[in-house]
Amino acid sequence: MPSTLVTEGATPATEVEGTFTTSKSRTERTYGVGLSSLQYAPVPSFGVKLAVPFAVRDPRDSEPTVAGIGDVSLMAKYAPVILPAHQFALSGGLKLTFPTGSERQELGGMLAVAPFLAAGKGFGPFSLQADVFYSWQLNRGATIRAEEEGEESIRPEREQVVTANLTGTYSPLERVGLILELNSVTMIRGEDPLKERVQLYLTPGVSVEPAKGWNLRAGIQLPVTSAKEFDYTLIVILTKGF
């Protein structure tokens, strides 16, 4: 299946992938760079994937800029259906996120588990890919201390988040692809102001293969709903497949 920007690929692969992102919101700018995929598939139907992010937060107020490692994640993916002749694949798996990022610096700190499904279907030069994740936070995070004497401290509610993505790609040339993604995020439980509000983002991009086994793609993620976490996010991904 063609490479995507946000949507999880439907088939396991053996690859190394690096990602650079820059994001702007009302309160801060965020820069991210990291190993977004160190993936190994010993057989075509099964693979494991490690992601190690590094982030820089630059708040717009008087708070200092902070940087550090984010939450590392480990994923296991199994594809029981791979039909090359029909350009179709269906997979599922489990993603485990570890609280390696600093919660105090808002770089992470979440222990979570997320089962997911992913599918892809090709139509000659066109393809469609989709995924859906349901994430449960397993730790409660730091206690929110009471500001006035006599008030009880509050333990934040564990987050539950649904993400769903749909990607369409078109390859007008052998090594060039056009990408358009629709990305959604909905917090079912948690303390975020966007709780129970659907966030929708549109992500157009382009993909090129400069050499055999290499893929370079870039895109910009833009909100299409008033519920949003950022004004835009620029995404650049370089992948080496084996």
Side-chain angles (χ1 to χ4, degrees):
M1 290 293 172
S3 299
T4 60
L5 292 164
V6 180
T7 305
E8 181 64 30
T11 54
T14 298
E15 65 181 22
V16 176
E17 183 176 275
T19 299
F20 169 78
T21 62
T22 178
S23 180
K24 174 185 171 294
S25 69
R26 183 177 56 85
T27 58
E28 65 183 17
R29 289 183 179 271
T30 304
Y31 306 90
V33 62
L35 188 68
S36 54
S37 175
L38 179 58
Q39 189 172 177
Y40 175 61
V43 294
S45 61
F46 178 77
V48 291
K49 176 179 177 180
L50 175 70
V52 184
F54 184 89
V56 178
R57 289 183 54 250
D58 183 19
R60 290 194 169 193
D61 55 21
S62 58
E63 295 183 14
T65 299
V66 297
I69 190 172
D71 288 346
V72 172
S73 65
L74 183 64
M75 175 189 294
K77 182 191 299 183
Y78 173 61
V81 180
I82 301 178
L83 304 174
H86 298 278
Q87 301 184 67
F88 177 77
L90 175 66
S91 64
L94 195 68
K95 178 181 178 181
L96 184 61
T97 301
F98 301 94
T100 52
S102 170
E103 184 177 11
R104 181 178 59 84
Q105 296 179 330
E106 298 183 27
L107 296 175
M110 180 180 293
L111 176 64
V113 62
F116 70 92
L117 291 174
K121 178 71 173 75
F123 305 90
F126 297 92
S127 72
L128 289 175
Q129 295 185 71
D131 71 35
V132 59
F133 285 73
Y134 198 112
S135 175
W136 280 276
Q137 182 180 1
L138 302 179
N139 62 341
R140 286 191 177 275
T143 300
I144 302 174
R145 299 188 180 279
E147 296 183 359
E148 298 183 9
E149 187 176 355
E151 293 185 352
E152 293 185 1
S153 296
I154 301 173
R155 295 287 286 180
E157 184 179 26
R158 293 189 181 101
E159 291 184 4
Q160 293 184 21
V161 180
V162 177
T163 62
N165 303 288
L166 176 64
T167 298
T169 59
Y170 171 61
S171 300
L173 300 173
E174 183 179 358
R175 296 193 174 185
V176 178
L178 304 178
I179 305 170
L180 183 61
E181 298 196 13
L182 181 63
N183 315 118
S184 72
V185 181
T186 307
M187 178 175 288
I188 307 300
R189 296 184 61 184
E191 305 296 336
D192 196 283
L194 295 176
K195 176 181 176 181
E196 296 181 349
R197 299 182 64 189
V198 178
Q199 305 170 52
L200 290 177
Y201 302 92
L202 198 62
T203 310
V206 62
S207 169
V208 297
E209 296 181 7
K212 184 177 180 180
W214 290 88
N215 182 274
L216 177 64
R217 53 204 184 276
I220 185 166
Q221 193 171 34
L222 302 168
V224 294
T225 55
S226 58
K228 59 182 182 179
E229 291 186 347
F230 49 80
D231 297 325
Y232 69 82
T233 295
L234 176 66
I235 307 168
V236 179
I237 304 174
L238 179 63
T239 305
K240 175 64 173 78
F242 299 93

